[in-house]
Amino acid sequence: LYTKFVAMCVFMALGASLAAPIGVSLLAHSGYEFASRLVPIIALGWVFNVLTTLSDIGILIAKKTRMKPLASGLAFVVAVALQFLLTPRFGVIGAAVATALTSMAYFLIVRGISQRLYPMMTRPRDLLIIVVAGAMPLLVGANLSYAYPSLWVTLAASFFGLLTYGGVLLRAGIIERADVGLIASRLGIRLVFLLDRRSSEPEDRRGGSRFVE
């Protein structure tokens, strides 16, 4: 479940990053076009921030909540140091990078403390696949969008980037077709090709999982 949660967070961050040029152009003046380049950095920090809220479960189970202020204090020191080092030299980009790195540091601190108090098993292979599957479409899609600033190019990069990411996770077995169907049904989307293929499978291969319609 943790791995699927990570995959979903990366999916949302990837979608926001690839579609950033469209979003900024719709919501802001053309003078703020550069802001779209900051979205992937901010989205990365958001991913680590969300994962931090899930990673402290070991602290809660062990009833060692006094460790949380310690973790926050260490992250505060890291935040001040990074902002002091990066913001004066690199401006707004440095501030965004410092914020993302602070979120990553906070996640690692909380995760490390939580694992010591109550170890949780994860699959490093799956996490590595998620990172690579998210990074490659982002790099390719962002470069295409900036090289060819067009609504259609950005839409195509966003669509195929997310499609590639989801396809790799399906192929690797990190997510299942049932997960895709469930999410789509929650969004009011009926994936006919998935449901038709599902219905054509023998009963013993379905494993008892069901789609929500």
Side-chain angles (χ1 to χ4, degrees), residues 2 48-60 64-65 67-76 78 102-120:
Y2 179 81
F48 282 113
N49 188 43
V50 173
L51 295 182
T52 301
T53 62
L54 187 65
S55 298
D56 66 349
I57 186 172
I59 298 175
L60 299 178
K64 301 289 185 179
T65 52
M67 301 300 294
K68 298 186 71 173
L70 173 62
S72 299
L74 292 175
F76 171 77
V78 172
T102 298
S103 297
M104 181 177 68
Y106 188 36
F107 164 74
L108 293 175
I109 293 170
V110 172
R111 177 75 174 173
I113 295 174
S114 183
Q115 284 292 94
R116 288 180 63 88
L117 296 175
Y118 189 86
M120 287 177 24

Side-chain angles (χ1 to χ4, degrees), residues 4 8 170 175-196 198 209-213:
K4 292 181 179 180
M8 180 55 61
L170 277 172
I175 61 175
E176 302 172 354
R177 295 181 184 274
D179 300 321
V180 179
L182 178 60
I183 295 172
S185 66
R186 295 293 186 184
L187 297 175
I189 304 172
R190 181 176 176 85
L191 299 182
V192 178
F193 71 97
L194 286 177
L195 298 180
D196 289 346
R198 182 72 175 177
S209 61
R210 292 174 290 179
F211 289 106
V212 178
E213 303 208 10

Side-chain angles (χ1 to χ4, degrees), residues 22-145:
I22 298 177
V24 172
S25 65
L26 291 176
L27 299 175
H29 188 268
S30 59
Y32 292 93
E33 181 180 355
F34 179 76
S36 63
R37 298 176 181 267
L38 301 177
V39 173
I41 303 173
I42 298 172
L44 177 63
W46 172 81
V47 170
F48 282 113
N49 188 43
V50 173
L51 295 182
T52 301
T53 62
L54 187 65
S55 298
D56 66 349
I57 186 172
I59 298 175
L60 299 178
I61 292 177
K63 297 181 179 180
K64 301 289 185 179
T65 52
R66 64 178 180 273
M67 301 300 294
K68 298 186 71 173
L70 173 62
S72 299
L74 292 175
F76 171 77
V77 173
V78 172
V80 172
L82 288 174
Q83 293 291 347
F84 179 78
L85 292 174
L86 298 179
T87 302
R89 185 173 182 180
F90 301 103
V92 66
I93 296 180
V97 171
T99 301
L101 290 177
T102 298
S103 297
M104 181 177 68
Y106 188 36
F107 164 74
L108 293 175
I109 293 170
V110 172
R111 177 75 174 173
I113 295 174
S114 183
Q115 284 292 94
R116 288 180 63 88
L117 296 175
Y118 189 86
M120 287 177 24
M121 297 297 296
T122 56
R123 294 179 289 185
R125 167 190 169 273
D126 290 350
L127 297 178
L128 179 61
I129 292 175
I130 291 172
V131 171
V132 174
M136 293 306 295
L138 176 60
L139 292 176
V140 174
N143 285 329
L144 286 175
S145 296

